[in-house]
Amino acid sequence: MDNSILLKISKKHKSPIYIYDGEKIENQYNRLKKAFSGIKKLKINYACKALSNISILNFIRKLGSGLDTVSIQEVELGIKSGFKPKNIIYTPNGVSIEEIEKVSKMGVQINIDNLSILEQFGTKFPNTPVCIRINPHIMAGGNNNISVGHIDSKFGVSVHQIPHVLRIVENTSMKINGVHMHTGSDILDIDVFIHAAEILFDTALKFKNLEFIDFGSGFKVPYKKGDIETNIEELGEKLSIRFNDFCKNYGKDIELAFEPGKFLVSSAGFFLTKVNAIKQTTSTIFAQVDSGFNHLIRPMFYGSHHEIINISNPNGKNRFYTVVGYICETDTFANNRRIPEISEGDILAFKNAGAYCFTMSSNYNSRYRPAEVLLYKNNYHLIRKKENMTDILNNQILVDIN
Ligand SMILES: *Cc1c(COP(=O)(O)O)cnc(C)c1O
């Protein structure tokens, strides 16, 4: 990424601001497609909770993607940005049967991960095909907060409960058109993933009318030099062979689906902040930026590492800084980090700010959420205005109690 374009955008639209590089999203999408070019029917459903601006959704839709959603509101955003309901899959966890029914009536593919819901839904709508989210109990995650495959996870129907699933299916005559797993957010080891896939294949053989198998996501992307990333090419090679064997065995070519979030958008995002003040204490130099965990919470919430570059002085000599925000609470973005010399007024760019950054932002301290810009081949467009006081006051009711 050329820093000068980031600087130019920050001059025009001011900091703090999120900037997304469409070309990077496109490259990641095509990389995934290429890795699975040995599959007859491949479906990529972008997991929109990672970054849900409707212009981003529209951009990804035009690459050929479907949409993975976890709430009725995400379904509505998807439809607003041009997705046909049949290209949306809804994978909720712990939501009400009423919401599931509403989404189903919109024509969206439902993915159920709870036996009680399965039975209620199947009894009422035996002719609406549903997908079942299986928990294969494989630990693929890199962090306890985001591994969802272990035995006591709240996600999915345990693979040990398949006999119960089959009984519900038989009793209700409902149609199962897909099986799904999403084993965790950070796949490090391809063989662990393949192991989970084998469990899903075994399960899949028990359902006769499948149209797809959905392997979820959890592709790991590098956040800093030396980080391991999921080897998509190796995964593509190994899983394609197994999947094509499965189809032969099953007697028909079904669809292979994925739902990547982070993989598609993480590295495309840059979050730009301005340094309000430099503060030296006895042991530390703090760089205090015009943001905080109200805008980017991953470092504080998950301990995530986001590379920080000083785009105002990229060639300055490195010094050690602790980068903090302006929130009245500890909000450390980075501890003791080597960054080219920082002066007050410099613009710092946080990398990997595409996934789970803006979507997790808030109005804490009654601050405005930042603007968002979509950049594509040197052209850029404002895709969300910075909030203002009207947004903060919206829906508030001033009551004066005597
Ligand atoms: C969050 C989520 C994803 C996306 O995960 P990433 O790690 O961002 O790729 C995919 N599927 C489901 C069901 C999810 O909840």
Side-chain angles (χ1 to χ4, degrees):
M1 164 66 63
D2 178 6
N3 289 340
S4 65
I5 184 108
L6 295 179
L7 265 181
K8 194 168 140 192
I9 296 171
S10 78
K11 284 216 174 79
K12 172 142 190 222
H13 292 294
K14 305 286 181 283
S15 70
I17 190 167
Y18 277 99
I19 300 170
Y20 311 113
D21 181 358
E23 233 178 317
K24 285 212 167 152
I25 298 175
E26 189 173 34
N27 288 343
Q28 287 294 86
Y29 185 87
N30 289 334
R31 198 181 140 202
L32 184 57
K33 233 173 86 172
K34 187 159 167 241
F36 285 88
S37 53
I39 298 291
K40 280 212 184 83
K41 299 178 176 178
L42 177 72
K43 187 74 193 268
I44 298 170
N45 295 313
Y46 167 56
C48 76
K49 74 178 186 289
L51 175 61
S52 57
N53 184 294
I54 54 176
S55 289
I56 298 289
L57 301 190
N58 188 43
F59 182 84
I60 294 179
R61 178 180 65 78
K62 286 166 84 177
L63 297 175
S65 181
L67 198 69
D68 177 68
T69 59
V70 294
S71 70
I72 190 169
Q73 288 79 13
E74 286 188 349
V75 171
E76 282 163 4
L77 286 180
I79 287 170
K80 193 128 210 136
S81 46
F83 285 91
K84 299 227 163 62
K86 69 173 171 45
N87 289 323
I88 303 178
I89 179 164
Y90 171 69
T91 304
N93 175 263
V95 317
S96 69
I97 182 84
E98 289 80 12
E99 181 172 313
I100 293 173
E101 286 185 27
K102 256 194 213 162
V103 172
S104 175
K105 284 195 181 117
M106 293 160 93
V108 167
Q109 171 73 48
I110 305 296
N111 189 3
I112 292 181
D113 87 333
N114 174 318
L115 288 176
S116 146
I117 298 281
L118 187 72
E119 188 165 339
Q120 292 176 63
F121 191 89
T123 304
K124 237 171 143 176
F125 307 101
N127 295 320
T128 304
V130 304
C131 174
I132 298 179
R133 178 173 184 174
I134 306 292
N135 189 334
H137 304 307
I138 297 293
M139 277 281 261
N143 173 327
N144 273 338
N145 291 331
I146 45 181
S147 309
V148 290
H150 59 87
I151 191 96
D152 285 321
S153 160
K154 70 165 187 160
F155 297 99
V157 173
S158 167
V159 69
H160 305 301
Q161 292 173 309
I162 294 301
H164 195 166
V165 171
L166 292 173
R167 194 146 54 79
I168 291 171
V169 170
E170 197 184 314
N171 289 346
T172 59
S173 308
M174 69 188 299
K175 316 276 175 298
I176 303 301
N177 66 344
V179 289
H180 166 279
M181 71 172 189
H182 173 62
T183 51
S185 226
D186 281 340
I187 299 165
L188 295 170
D189 187 335
I190 302 293
D191 293 325
V192 172
F193 190 88
I194 297 288
H195 186 73
E198 295 294 348
I199 294 173
L200 201 59
F201 288 136
D202 283 347
T203 307
L205 286 174
K206 300 191 165 74
F207 300 93
K208 297 301 163 211
N209 302 306
L210 293 187
E211 289 159 14
F212 65 93
I213 298 183
D214 188 332
F215 293 91
S217 177
F219 304 131
K220 189 170 167 54
V221 302
Y223 277 74
K224 58 177 186 295
K225 264 205 189 90
D227 269 2
I228 321 171
E229 68 173 300
T230 305
N231 187 334
I232 293 291
E233 290 69 28
E234 184 191 344
L235 180 66
E237 232 168 81
K238 289 189 170 167
L239 186 59
S240 297
I241 292 172
R242 278 299 296 122
F243 187 79
N244 288 335
D245 280 351
F246 170 84
C247 287
K248 252 191 222 142
N249 215 343
Y250 193 69
K252 89 177 198 217
D253 277 319
I254 61 172
E255 208 171 70
L256 187 165
F258 279 116
E259 340 167 307
K262 201 182 264 185
F263 178 80
L264 291 182
V265 298
S266 175
S267 66
F270 296 83
F271 180 51
L272 270 49
T273 62
K274 192 177 86 205
V275 178
N276 282 336
I278 297 288
K279 185 171 194 173
Q280 300 227 13
T281 63
T282 50
S283 65
T284 307
I285 313 178
F286 288 105
Q288 298 191 285
V289 299
D290 60 350
S291 182
F293 66 63
N294 50 328
H295 297 153
L296 198 168
I297 201 172
R298 299 187 75 258
M300 304 81 179
F301 200 36
Y302 299 120
S304 310
H305 180 108
H306 287 261
E307 290 279 282
I308 300 173
I309 47 181
N310 182 357
I311 59 174
S312 300
N313 184 24
N315 302 316
K317 83 172 159 14
N318 280 326
R319 298 194 68 188
F320 286 92
Y321 295 95
T322 291
V323 179
V324 294
Y326 61 9
I327 290 297
C328 289
E329 193 162 328
T330 304
D331 60 349
T332 306
F333 286 113
N335 233 321
N336 212 30
R337 202 62 87 67
R338 274 176 89 108
I339 300 171
E341 183 150 24
I342 301 174
S343 308
E344 291 175 355
D346 281 358
I347 301 290
L348 303 187
F350 291 71
K351 294 173 80 171
N352 283 93
Y356 307 105
C357 291
F358 187 93
T359 49
M360 286 187 158
S361 66
S362 75
N363 289 120
Y364 187 49
N365 278 204
S366 296
R367 293 286 184 183
Y368 306 141
R369 270 176 294 197
E372 296 182 289
V373 164
L374 174 58
L375 169 69
Y376 188 69
K377 299 190 173 162
N378 288 322
N379 290 317
Y380 58 88
H381 310 272
L382 190 66
I383 58 173
R384 183 192 301 267
K385 293 185 208 165
K386 179 184 174 174
E387 287 180 338
N388 58 36
M389 206 57 209
T390 310
D391 297 308
I392 301 281
L393 287 170
N394 190 28
N395 294 328
Q396 294 200 53
I397 299 165
L398 180 62
V399 171
D400 189 17
I401 292 169
N402 292 307

